Amino acid sequence: MKYLWKTIWFIQAFIVRLIPMLLFFVAHTIGEVYIYNWDPLTVLEIKPLPELFDSYLFLYGALGLIILILFFMKLPIIARVMTVGILASQVVFFLKRWEIYIYDLKDVDPYYNFYMGILMSIIAGFVLQVTWRMIRNGITQAYYWFMLKSFGKDKKASFKKIPVKKLPEKKNSK
């Protein structure tokens, strides 16, 4: 029964950690429909979806798997900052594409800012994760240093003077 619950827990954790990847696909779908690139009725069918996503299918799939791995590696700050950063980059990307569509701008390239937003979210997540770990380790070390100083050397020495009782030796019976 123990292994059954562990299996159920792992499957549930795996599915929950796939949510960011699904959010990327949903946000991209909403953005493409918003800027009139995709027909909303075409989105309701499953067969043309991989063709509609084109190269974004691989981009969002890879980013989703990276976030999944980061969660399982117990690096949740990087994964969460990446998720929020990628979603924000998508919003800015589609708003810029909408602006290009409305004002008929030919010289503007929204892709550079989109990919730089993704890269900056990865870097920001890494920096925040490292900073958090350093702060947490510093607090732990300060706590132990404070405990050592507050109890003083006498308490530490008194722990060493505790007598140890020896167990009686067993007699050999032959």
Side-chain angles (χ1 to χ4, degrees):
M1 194 65 169
K2 176 177 139 182
Y3 296 110
L4 178 67
W5 287 117
K6 282 189 176 184
T7 305
I8 291 171
W9 176 85
F10 182 79
I11 291 170
Q12 176 262 339
F14 185 79
I15 291 171
V16 166
R17 287 173 171 96
L18 282 177
I19 290 175
M21 181 169 49
L22 296 174
L23 284 175
F24 300 153
F25 287 119
V26 168
H28 187 85
T29 303
I30 292 170
E32 291 288 352
V33 169
Y34 178 74
I35 62 171
Y36 301 118
N37 270 357
W38 293 358
D39 181 23
L41 298 176
T42 310
V43 175
L44 298 176
E45 299 173 19
I46 295 175
K47 281 188 178 182
L49 280 180
E51 184 181 302
L52 288 173
F53 279 108
D54 198 30
S55 62
Y56 293 108
L57 182 69
F58 301 112
L59 174 68
Y60 298 141
L63 290 171
L65 288 177
I66 289 170
I67 289 171
L68 173 86
I69 291 168
L70 288 171
F71 272 122
F72 277 112
M73 288 175 58
K74 297 186 179 177
L75 298 169
I77 296 174
I78 299 173
R80 289 181 180 128
V81 170
M82 274 182 64
T83 303
V84 171
I86 293 167
L87 290 172
S89 295
Q90 283 181 318
V91 168
V92 171
F93 174 66
F94 285 112
L95 288 176
K96 190 58 134 176
R97 284 183 61 191
W98 173 257
E99 186 178 310
I100 291 168
Y101 175 74
I102 292 296
Y103 296 116
D104 198 31
L105 304 172
K106 303 286 185 203
D107 301 338
V108 180
D109 181 27
Y111 297 99
Y112 177 78
N113 290 335
F114 175 61
Y115 294 123
M116 286 305 289
I118 292 172
L119 179 64
M120 288 301 140
S121 70
I122 294 169
I123 292 170
F126 179 76
V127 168
L128 288 173
Q129 182 75 51
V130 170
T131 305
W132 173 249
R133 290 245 171 123
M134 286 174 55
I135 289 170
R136 201 172 73 195
N137 289 341
I139 290 172
T140 304
Q141 288 178 359
Y143 173 76
Y144 285 120
W145 180 80
F146 176 73
M147 295 301 284
L148 180 67
K149 291 296 181 183
S150 66
F151 285 125
K153 294 180 183 176
D154 295 333
K155 293 285 185 181
K156 206 164 77 172
S158 67
F159 287 125
K160 292 181 182 176
K161 294 179 185 177
I162 297 174
V164 179
K165 293 184 181 179
K166 292 186 178 180
L167 295 173
E169 294 182 19
K170 293 184 180 180
K171 295 180 182 177
N172 292 336
S173 60
K174 288 187 179 179

